[in-house]
Amino acid sequence: MCRVLGITNFNYAKHARIVARFCQLARTGMVMAEDPPGHEDGWGLAFYRNGELVVRKSGASLLDETDQVIGLLEKARTSPVMILHLRKSAWTNTSSTRHAHPFFLGDTVFFHNGVVYDYQGLLPDITLPGLRADARDTEVFFYHVMSGTTGDLGRDFLATAALIRQKHRFSALNCLFSDSRKLFAYRDYTREPDYYSLHKAYAENSCLVSSEPLDDNLRWEMMAQGEFLAIDPGGGG
């Protein structure tokens, strides 16, 4: 249960206001009817600098550490893909840097909003080493994707998502992820469609995907259930 923001062709000079508004969702972001306000169980940031993935994450509230995010992005200035995540944990005793999103392997980085309740059923198919015993649903989800056999990140993700839809219980599979070449976005849910939302917008040469609209000057469109985007920052599709 989280809020996410992804931007292609990120430029801090152009997108600073959107980042600042997203950070405020840690306090004001939409929550489900039975939940207390706030997404303060951790945060995570990913971007690419000189072709290499940079990840920073924390188990603390972003409201207390906004300066860290702003400082990192201000210094980075630009990135082909930038993704930011606010966590509202579904699992007890996991508000820690260890369990904050994103999870990453090499240059591939993965963020998820939703819960896969019976994620343990995915474990037998995972072939990659390194998954720790205390992993929860998102990390297991990611390792299952990365254990795919096609060599195509988008196709391997869709195969895992299809398996979860068919054989597992979940609230939502809303994901943003990247391999440095593309920003991928996916929306699916079984409940609370107003909360498990993903909106897309375009501004100049950037595509923005966010849990909530962040700029009234942009035309935000809700992604459809089951919609999958593979956005090339270079415009190749």
Side-chain angles (χ1 to χ4, degrees):
M1 299 184 292
C2 312
R3 304 285 83 182
V4 291
L5 168 67
I7 303 177
T8 62
N9 292 311
F10 175 78
N11 184 318
Y12 184 75
K14 294 180 179 179
H15 299 128
R17 184 172 64 173
I18 285 174
V19 169
R21 288 183 175 178
F22 180 80
C23 290
Q24 286 303 309
L25 296 183
R27 176 183 290 113
T28 64
M30 180 183 291
V31 296
M32 290 188 286
E34 70 273 18
D35 286 343
H39 292 78
E40 298 190 55
D41 296 328
W43 59 269
L45 169 68
F47 59 90
Y48 294 89
R49 181 168 55 207
N50 299 322
E52 295 187 359
L53 176 65
V54 177
V55 170
R56 296 291 185 273
K57 58 182 186 174
S58 169
S61 170
L62 184 59
L63 295 174
D64 298 325
E65 299 183 339
T66 303
D67 289 349
Q68 292 188 36
V69 170
I70 299 304
L72 285 163
L73 292 177
E74 192 172 26
K75 184 177 180 180
R77 297 177 58 192
T78 63
S79 175
V81 174
M82 186 283 296
I83 308 175
L84 185 56
H85 180 275
L86 302 172
R87 186 167 186 247
K88 190 177 187 71
S89 178
W91 308 103
T92 58
N93 301 317
T94 61
S95 297
S96 63
T97 301
R98 160 78 183 99
H99 290 288
H101 301 203
F103 298 97
F104 60 97
L105 289 169
D107 286 334
T108 301
V109 63
F110 188 83
F111 299 75
H112 169 222
N113 178 22
V115 183
V116 181
Y117 300 106
D118 54 352
Y119 64 89
Q120 296 90 343
L122 296 170
L123 291 170
D125 295 332
I126 293 174
T127 57
L128 289 178
L131 186 64
R132 292 165 58 174
D134 64 346
R136 295 296 187 265
D137 60 324
T138 296
E139 190 173 7
V140 171
F141 186 176
F142 175 51
Y143 267 74
H144 194 283
V145 172
M146 296 299 287
S147 295
T149 59
T150 72
D152 181 294
L153 180 60
R155 289 174 62 188
D156 287 335
F157 170 83
L158 290 172
T160 294
L163 176 66
I164 294 172
R165 286 199 313 272
Q166 293 164 10
K167 296 187 176 181
H168 296 273
R169 296 183 301 108
F170 66 95
S171 62
L173 302 177
N174 291 5
C175 293
L176 292 182
F177 56 104
S178 180
D179 59 359
S180 80
R181 294 180 293 275
K182 291 183 178 181
L183 171 66
F184 299 90
Y186 180 76
R187 181 180 183 229
D188 198 6
Y189 54 88
T190 61
R191 56 178 294 197
E192 300 274 358
D194 290 338
Y195 177 71
Y196 289 117
S197 56
L198 276 180
H199 303 260
K200 59 186 178 182
Y202 298 89
E204 298 181 13
N205 65 336
S206 294
C207 177
L208 299 87
V209 181
S210 176
S211 297
E212 301 184 27
L214 298 169
D215 187 335
D216 292 340
N217 294 319
L218 297 180
R219 181 177 175 271
W220 296 91
E221 179 183 352
M222 180 77 81
M223 288 179 60
Q225 185 172 19
E227 184 173 353
F228 178 67
L229 302 177
I231 306 146
D232 183 347

